[in-house]
Amino acid sequence: MALANPACASGGTFPMKATQARLRAWGGVAEPITLCQQPTFSHQLGAALQRPAPSHLVVGNLRSYGDEVLNPDGHFIQTTHCDRVLHFDRRNGVVQVESGITLAALQRIIAPHGWMLPVTPGTALLTVGGAIANDVHGKNHHTAGTFGQHVRELGLVRSDGQVLRCGPTEQADWFAATLGGMGLTGAITEATLQLRPSGSGLLNIENHRFANLDGFFALDALHTPQHEYAVAWIDCAAQGRQLGRGIFSVADHQPSAGEVPPAVLPPSAAALRQRTVPCELPVSLINSLSLRPFNWFYYHRPGVGLPAHTQQSMYQWLYPLDRIQHWNRLYGRAGFVQFQCVIPPQHARDALQEMLTTIARSGTGSFLAVLKNFGNQRSPGLLSFPMPGTTLALDFPWQGQATATLLAQLHAINLAAKGRIYAAKDSHAPAHALAAGYPELATFSRYLDPKLQSRMRQRFGL
């Protein structure tokens, strides 16, 4: 259940005292709830938006890390009951769904018919609406682009009652504003998606160790053009001559030899419940004492060599953390923050070196540190995050002012290198960071819905 109140387990409207419930983002930041609406069908989203309130915010399964999903007025519309498949063309791999269905639930429906989503991020537990609102990307950006590039059409309802049908060729301006628009242009009611064949559901994987950033860039240039997926894990606890070491991985789908075997289908909700962090811990298990030995063992783990070949279910490899329910609780009550940026190629090497040096000097580090190069594919989204360059994503346990200082330093390095931040992961970027990284921000602002409000919108002055 996404919201912190059992009354919200079924469709309806639930006014409540601010002390009774709080909505929590995945990173742990929270907002009191004064009104929670959970429509049962997507066509009810328009009426929910028009309910009298100072402002609203439409949320999904709450997998956003920061203040994107927090409404300062405490009025929320959650879409997770709007989770139906409206039409599935099994022959051509086209599916129309309500916006509240999760990627995992959708893939459990389409996988037995030999289809999969062309692009997914590192979790399948976000909603289709959330994937569009953040125009998410995956480990195959260089071959498949962003999620939004595979959306044929979407429905959008505004707080003034306006209903729009948007797509690459129909109401294309609204479509561009809504892709990556952080849910601020209106409520996404449903979407039509183009799927891709899933093959056998298995991936053939190669893993390579690299000793520093130069090693990463050399491996990326050699291997990424030849493979569908490419990503690297980087050891943020390493220092000195080991600074920037990590593991580079590439993968490709294995062709299907017949029916999709059950073992490679997404795990069911029941299976996920068997592997869970049962409660929020009083202190973070991700700290300076645990990071260094964990990263050392992960870097030296068996099955990684020059190169090492292995085979995995695509769900195991694409979503390793989805196998542990509520893994964010490992960070304790204070939660965690994520920093993600993308830096243009001409500045990437030096800026990343400076960032990693800054992190090492801070005495902290990241358990989940991802490094990869984006391709040249351009999403139509005005605020879509990917651009040609290198992206670095890092999770930090929240340690108050020390973490805030580190984030400020990383943001300064990113801005000096003409990089951009990923709003879906952000909660601390300065107000000018969005405009600095997104030249079409002024155009996007013309499509904002005046009744949709978030802490992030306030912070960026939109």
Side-chain angles (χ1 to χ4, degrees):
M1 183 173 57
L3 296 182
N5 190 304
C8 291
S10 60
T13 300
F14 305 93
M16 56 192 74
K17 295 180 180 179
T19 55
Q20 288 181 309
R22 293 172 70 82
L23 183 142
R24 290 174 63 86
W26 191 244
V29 289
E31 191 79 64
I33 302 170
T34 55
L35 181 70
C36 164
Q37 298 183 76
Q38 290 188 318
T40 307
F41 300 97
S42 58
H43 66 261
Q44 298 171 334
L45 286 170
L49 271 179
Q50 293 176 64
R51 184 183 177 94
S55 68
H56 297 286
L57 186 62
V58 182
V59 298
N61 205 29
L62 301 175
R63 275 332 195 250
S64 293
Y65 287 67
D67 54 2
E68 180 187 36
V69 294
L70 302 182
N71 178 11
D73 294 316
H75 294 254
F76 298 94
I77 303 169
Q78 191 176 33
T79 63
T80 47
H81 292 290
C82 306
D83 60 353
R84 294 160 185 82
V85 172
L86 303 175
H87 179 70
F88 182 17
D89 179 351
R90 293 167 177 80
R91 178 183 294 274
N92 296 304
V94 178
V95 65
Q96 183 186 25
V97 297
E98 290 186 307
S99 61
I101 191 170
T102 65
L103 306 191
L106 176 56
Q107 294 198 141
R108 278 193 289 272
I109 294 169
I110 64 178
H113 302 281
W115 296 102
M116 64 176 287
L117 291 164
V119 172
T120 62
T123 176
L125 298 178
L126 77 164
T127 63
V128 166
I132 295 171
N134 294 296
D135 199 13
V136 296
H137 59 273
K139 301 175 177 70
N140 60 345
H141 180 268
H142 64 288
T143 57
T146 66
F147 190 91
Q149 289 171 254
H150 304 274
V151 177
R152 287 187 165 193
E153 188 180 57
L154 61 85
L156 187 73
V157 62
R158 304 262 293 171
S159 62
D160 62 2
Q162 187 179 14
V163 179
L164 300 167
R165 302 294 305 174
C166 310
T169 59
E170 180 183 6
Q171 302 272 23
D173 55 341
W174 283 100
F175 185 68
T178 301
L179 291 186
M182 302 174 283
L184 298 177
T185 63
I188 300 168
T189 56
E190 42 80 21
T192 301
L193 311 174
Q194 178 63 60
L195 308 175
R196 59 152 289 172
S198 62
S200 68
L202 296 172
L203 291 175
N204 297 319
I205 302 158
E206 284 185 21
N207 295 313
H208 306 255
R209 288 195 187 98
F210 55 89
N212 49 42
L213 285 175
D214 290 333
F216 161 75
F217 284 107
L219 286 168
D220 181 80
L222 179 63
H223 293 284
T224 295
Q226 305 172 43
H227 297 278
E228 179 167 356
Y229 299 97
V231 68
W233 167 86
I234 194 166
D235 181 359
C236 282
Q239 301 182 41
R241 292 196 301 177
Q242 297 176 330
L243 186 74
R245 72 179 181 181
I247 298 170
F248 179 81
S249 302
V250 291
D252 297 284
H253 286 275
Q254 183 185 83
S256 175
E259 293 186 2
V260 179
V264 300
L265 297 182
S268 65
L272 286 173
R273 284 193 292 271
Q274 295 175 8
R275 299 185 296 272
T276 184
V277 180
C279 62
E280 196 171 64
L281 303 176
V283 295
S284 174
L285 293 184
I286 314 299
N287 53 52
S288 57
L289 296 177
S290 62
L291 277 169
R292 191 173 298 276
F294 172 85
N295 283 8
W296 188 93
F297 281 111
Y298 190 82
Y299 179 74
H300 291 93
R301 76 187 193 273
V304 179
L306 299 170
H309 296 266
T310 185
Q311 190 177 84
Q312 272 187 300
S313 156
M314 64 184 184
Y315 300 104
Q316 289 179 313
W317 193 76
L318 292 174
Y319 319 115
L321 288 175
D322 281 359
R323 289 180 284 173
I324 305 172
Q325 203 170 32
H326 303 303
W327 61 263
N328 58 333
R329 292 173 176 173
L330 294 171
Y331 284 91
R333 291 173 186 158
F336 70 99
V337 292
Q338 184 168 104
F339 170 85
Q340 184 167 5
C341 66
V342 55
I343 304 170
Q346 64 271 29
H347 303 300
R349 168 57 176 81
D350 291 343
L352 290 169
Q353 184 82 10
E354 187 177 358
M355 285 180 179
L356 294 176
T357 301
T358 301
I359 293 167
R361 288 174 179 167
S362 74
T364 186
S366 175
F367 165 64
L368 298 171
V370 176
L371 187 67
K372 62 188 172 189
N373 275 330
F374 286 136
N376 294 320
Q377 304 223 24
R378 191 182 188 284
S379 168
L382 298 178
L383 296 191
S384 291
F385 170 64
M387 68 177 183
T390 307
T391 180
L392 175 67
L394 306 155
D395 289 352
F396 298 107
W398 180 249
Q399 297 173 340
Q401 187 56 48
T403 309
T405 299
L406 174 60
L407 290 171
Q409 293 171 328
L410 297 178
H411 283 299
I413 296 168
N414 178 57
L415 286 169
K418 304 186 185 306
R420 65 171 53 157
I421 58 156
Y422 191 14
K425 305 287 185 71
D426 180 65
S427 57
H428 285 78
H432 63 280
L434 199 65
Y438 294 89
E440 295 180 290
L441 181 62
T443 301
F444 165 77
S445 298
R446 299 201 295 264
Y447 297 89
L448 289 164
D449 190 306
K451 287 292 291 289
L452 291 174
Q453 189 62 256
S454 68
R455 289 285 182 193
M456 175 174 285
R457 180 174 178 175
Q458 286 188 341
R459 179 162 53 89
F460 287 135
L462 296 175

